[in-house]
């Protein structure tokens, strides 16, 4: 049983803390820009049905997922109106679980094997995933119409195409980001008509307002934001921190209990306001506090600090729950606890 917690300072650390005001602002800003079905929020960014419910409350009933586990969890939570697995899957057990979901499920296919395995395991609807220059999944564009035909012959409903311009979403220069997005979407649009269906699904937080070719945008990071996206000047602000405790101080550095097992590190070190993060090890974060960063002008053992992750998605996946707080500081009140219930892979 979890202890009753009323403030962020009472939390055992490291703990994820959501600033509810910043989250609401981000969700509202995106809903205003991309209302209703123009946005298919990607749940991999938060893996949390309670947060998805906040997105649904703002009018987004269709969701994107990266794993079968996310789809099954969303459907069981009653959020299964229209779920897209924007990823390839050839695991019969997981495909069967998707087919048996109490919701509408569509999955990405990009090869004969993905089409055939989907059809053989009860999947009813697909999008043809086209490679739009990100070196990851997606068929060559010239193969897309043939795959669509193969899928229809196998009894699958081909609802359209998808193509993720992941190589463009984090380009710092907006003009260059727009150009790379346009180039990617030209490739996707070039085959959309021949494939058929009415969905062109693409885009992310970095291209949400630049990708005008897609019928729906798959952005997810905008809700909680992170260090990398924070550099792009987007109208979304950071809404998720980790609260950590200072466990060691000497006259050259300080150490907090928030290491790389609590943080997605693929985009580099996290940040702590007004300090310099030196490095992270398994369970430690070593930093040099500057005067303004901590109440006494220098860190003391037992101080609470806020650590801002560089990459939200993998950070969230390390934690069991997020604490929703009424402000970003360590003195904030915890108003809700949201389980991160879509993590893992088991269906
Ligand atoms: C298939 C797919 N669509 C969309 C996104 C966009 O997500 P974000 O909002 O983080 O840019 C991602 C992120 O990796 C993705 O893999």
């Amino acid at each position: 049983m979890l202890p009753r917690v009323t403030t962020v300072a009472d939390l055992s650390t490291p703990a994820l803390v959501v600033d509810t005001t910043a989250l609401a602002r981000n969700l509202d800003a995106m809903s205003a820009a991309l209302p209703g079905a123009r946005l298919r929020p990607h749940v991999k960014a938060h893996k949390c049905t309670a947060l998805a419910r906040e997105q649904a409350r703002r009018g987004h009933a269709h969701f994107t997922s990266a794993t079968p586990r996310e789809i099954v969890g969303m459907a069981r939570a009653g959020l299964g109106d229209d779920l897209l697995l924007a990823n390839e899957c050839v695991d019969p057990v997981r495909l069967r679980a998707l087919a048996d979901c109490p919701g509408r499920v569509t999955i990405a296919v990009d090869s004969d094997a993905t089409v055939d395995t989907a059809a053989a395991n009860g999947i009813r609807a697909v999008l043809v995933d086209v490679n739009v220059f990100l070196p990851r999944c997606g068929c060559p564009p010239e193969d897309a119409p043939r795959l669509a035909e193969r899928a229809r012959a196998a009894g699958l409903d081909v609802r359209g195409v998808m193509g993720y311009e992941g190589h463009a979403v984090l380009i710092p220069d907006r003009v260059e980001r727009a150009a790379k997005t346009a180039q990617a979407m030209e490739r996707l649009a070039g085959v959309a008509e021949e494939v058929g269906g009415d969905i062109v699904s693409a885009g992310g937080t970095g291209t949400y307002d630049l990708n005008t070719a897609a019928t729906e945008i798959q952005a997810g990071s905008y809700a909680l934001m992170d260090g990398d996206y924070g550099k792009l000047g987007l109208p979304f602000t950071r809404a998720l921190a980790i609260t950590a405790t200072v466990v060691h101080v000497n006259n050259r550095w300080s150490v907090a209990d928030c290491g790389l097992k609590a943080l997605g590190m693929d985009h580099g070190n996290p940040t702590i306001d007004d300090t310099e993060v030196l490095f992270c090890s398994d369970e430690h974060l070593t930093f040099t506090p500057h005067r303004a960063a901590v109440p006494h002008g220098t860190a003391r053992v037992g101080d609470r600090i806020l650590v801002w992750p560089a990459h939200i998605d993998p950070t969230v996946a390390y934690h069991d729950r997020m604490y929703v707080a009424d402000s970003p500081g360590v003195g904030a009140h915890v108003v809700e606890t949201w389980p991160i219930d879509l993590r893992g892979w088991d269906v």
Side-chain angles (χ1 to χ4, degrees):
M1 176 135 147
L2 291 173
R4 227 176 101 75
V5 162
T6 52
T7 71
V8 170
D10 295 329
L11 296 171
S12 291
T13 57
L16 290 183
V17 179
V18 178
D19 170 2
T20 189
T21 311
L23 171 65
R25 229 179 10 238
N26 291 345
L27 298 182
D28 291 344
M30 185 60 100
S31 294
L34 298 174
R38 281 281 294 126
L39 182 73
R40 187 185 277 279
H42 207 319
V43 302
K44 80 181 178 69
H46 52 70
K47 288 184 177 281
C48 173
T49 54
L51 205 162
R53 207 160 269 122
E54 289 296 310
Q55 293 170 311
R57 229 163 42 78
R58 286 164 174 84
H60 311 295
H62 306 171
F63 287 91
T64 310
S65 302
T67 64
R69 161 93 199 108
E70 291 168 1
I71 298 255
V72 169
M74 287 289 285
R76 285 188 192 139
L79 292 161
D81 280 8
D82 191 333
L83 299 170
L84 169 65
L85 179 68
N87 200 356
E88 278 60 21
C89 178
V90 286
D91 178 337
V93 173
R94 290 180 181 165
L95 289 168
R96 278 266 149 221
L98 296 184
D100 293 342
C101 254
R104 183 179 193 189
V105 175
T106 302
I107 74 167
V109 291
D110 69 352
S111 64
D112 289 358
T114 48
V115 169
D116 297 351
T117 322
N121 289 285
I123 296 295
R124 289 176 286 280
V126 296
L127 293 186
V128 177
D129 185 6
V130 178
N131 181 283
V132 292
F133 304 116
L134 172 70
R136 211 171 68 178
C137 294
C139 67
E142 58 278 12
D143 204 25
R146 185 192 67 78
L147 282 175
E149 210 172 294
R150 186 180 183 100
R152 287 200 178 93
L156 295 164
D157 176 17
V158 179
R159 298 183 65 197
V161 290
M162 72 157 262
Y164 174 52
E165 73 278 23
H167 58 297
V169 293
L170 278 167
I171 295 174
D173 181 71
R174 186 172 163 86
V175 174
E176 198 189 328
R177 195 158 78 246
K180 282 272 191 295
T181 301
Q183 183 194 38
M185 289 306 104
E186 199 181 319
R187 199 176 208 208
L188 191 58
V191 295
E193 208 175 296
E194 237 188 302
V195 166
D198 52 16
I199 294 178
V200 178
S201 196
T205 297
T207 59
Y208 82 100
D209 62 338
L210 298 172
N211 189 330
T212 49
T215 59
E216 58 179 40
I217 299 293
Q218 301 176 352
S221 297
Y222 76 96
L224 297 172
M225 285 294 280
D226 54 28
D228 261 17
Y229 266 136
K231 295 174 195 155
L232 296 192
L234 302 170
F236 313 111
T237 54
R238 59 190 190 176
L240 184 89
I242 300 178
T243 180
T245 306
V246 176
V247 293
H248 171 87
V249 175
N250 64 39
N251 58 6
R252 290 173 57 206
W253 65 79
S254 303
V255 181
D257 61 350
C258 175
L260 55 86
K261 288 181 179 169
L263 281 162
M265 295 284 295
D266 60 314
H267 289 183
N269 282 335
T271 55
I272 306 171
D273 291 348
D274 302 316
T275 71
E276 186 188 351
V277 170
L278 297 176
F279 67 96
C280 291
S281 41
D282 280 8
E283 299 289 355
H284 300 98
L285 188 162
T286 301
F287 64 105
T288 54
H290 303 295
R291 292 198 65 77
V294 282
H296 336 286
T298 180
R300 289 184 190 165
V301 171
D303 278 352
R304 291 305 181 92
I305 56 169
L306 290 181
V307 178
W308 300 95
H311 195 186
I312 286 290
D313 302 40
T315 297
V316 164
Y318 283 128
H319 294 258
D320 293 316
R321 63 193 71 87
M322 36 183 123
Y323 297 93
V324 183
D326 61 2
S327 74
V330 291
H333 286 95
V334 175
V335 291
E336 263 183 286
T337 303
W338 289 348
I340 301 174
D341 49 352
L342 301 176
R343 63 197 284 252
W345 292 269
D346 290 346
V347 291

